[in-house]
Every structure is written in C-alpha cells, then in structure tokens.
Amino acid sequence: MKHNVAFLGVFLALALVFSYVEAMIPFAIAIPGVKLGITNIVVLLILYLIGPKEAFIVSVLRVILAGLLFGNLFSIIYSMAGALFSLAVMMLLRRTKQFHVISISAVGGIVHNLGQLIVAAFVVENYNIMYYFAVLMIAGVITGVIIGIVGNEMIKRVGRFFWKRQIHT
C-alpha cells in the first residue's frame, strides 16, 4: 500500500502537469471547449496498472487541484462531471474484459463530453445545447482514440517497470 501511495502521488503530479500543458496548448480548431484530454492517459494508466479506486481518487484530486490552480469553480464542476462519468463508464467497460484500451478511451472521451454537456444544460437551464452533442461525440472519438493509442503504449511500457518494482519491493 505505501508503494501505491508514492506511485499515486507521482501519477497525480503527472496529471497536473498534463493539465497545465493542455491549458497552454492553443488547440486551434473551430469547436469551442474541445481539448485533447491528455490527462486521461494518466487515468488509463492507473485504471490498468493499479485499480479503479485509485483511478477515482487521482481523478477527483486532479480535477480539484487543476481547477484551483488553472481554472475556476465552473471548470471544476464541468471537469468533475466529465471525469466521473467517463471514469465510471471506463471502469465498467474494463471490468467486462471485452474491450481494448483504445475502445475504452474513445468511449471515455464521448462520455466525458456528454457529462459536461449535461451539467452545462442544467447550469444554463437550456436543454437545446444537447444538439451540440453530435459534434462533441465526433471530437470525443477522435481525441479518445489518440489518447487510447498513446495510453496503450504507455501501459505496456510503464506496466513492465511498474510490476517489476512491485514484485521486488
């Protein structure tokens, strides 16, 4: 357990760095609110290498800390909705053992956008913005697949190191 805490601290720090980098990237496409979601690489790593409970803890802490450092209350609310909804679905898909990391990441990207859109609909009290979901779904698939490919490679590479360290300590 004490080794997992250290790993989770490193993963949380990495997720915060990715959040900062993502906030600095001028993602120049015509779709407002679309981001790459590179912090999801860290969530995938934790989900596959350590477990769902730890992925949940790091996700919640990352959203709160990143919101306090780089955002505001609304960014925390939107990010938390997207992160928790996405993580819940990814955990369920992972549990079935019938989906590849890339597929799980793509669905996670879609569901993250859906979670944020649902919260936005409640905040602005206008459910017509749900029409925007079709555009966000396409963006979620594209970014989710990209993150899934990178995440899959990282799981393979970091996983070898991670399990060696866990066995020998």
Side-chain angles (χ1 to χ4, degrees):
M1 177 62 183
K2 64 183 175 183
H3 300 291
N4 280 351
V5 171
F7 279 115
L8 293 178
V10 170
F11 282 133
L12 178 59
L14 183 61
L16 285 171
V17 168
F18 283 171
S19 291
Y20 178 71
V21 168
E22 190 166 55
M24 301 307 288
I25 295 173
F27 198 55
I29 61 171
I31 306 170
V34 173
K35 294 183 179 180
L36 284 173
I38 56 178
T39 56
N40 198 39
I41 295 169
V42 176
V43 175
L44 286 172
L45 280 170
I46 298 169
L47 186 60
Y48 275 81
L49 299 178
I50 301 176
K53 180 177 72 170
E54 293 82 359
F56 172 80
I57 292 167
V58 170
S59 289
V60 168
L61 290 174
R62 195 255 333 147
V63 167
I64 293 169
L65 291 172
L68 292 173
L69 292 170
F70 319 120
N72 55 40
L73 179 61
F74 283 107
S75 68
I76 293 172
I77 292 169
Y78 290 122
S79 293
M80 191 67 74
L84 294 180
F85 196 27
S86 174
L87 182 59
V89 170
M90 289 192 305
M91 285 169 29
L92 289 171
L93 293 176
R94 166 98 166 99
R95 185 178 288 177
T96 67
K97 299 181 192 246
Q98 295 183 11
F99 298 94
H100 193 271
V101 176
I102 298 170
S103 302
I104 290 174
S105 178
V107 172
I110 294 168
V111 174
H112 182 90
N113 289 340
L114 179 60
Q116 289 186 329
L117 202 54
I118 290 170
V119 169
F122 281 115
V123 169
V124 299
E125 296 179 358
N126 184 349
Y127 302 103
N128 289 330
I129 65 172
M130 294 304 290
Y131 291 114
Y132 194 49
F133 180 63
V135 174
L136 290 178
M137 186 171 68
I138 294 167
V141 168
I142 294 168
T143 59
V145 166
I146 293 167
I147 297 304
I149 291 168
V150 173
N152 187 49
E153 272 308 303
M154 298 229 12
I155 289 166
K156 288 180 196 172
R157 295 167 191 260
V158 173
R160 287 186 217 133
F161 168 77
F162 185 83
W163 292 117
K164 278 183 190 175
R165 298 291 287 182
Q166 290 287 50
I167 292 168
H168 294 304
T169 55

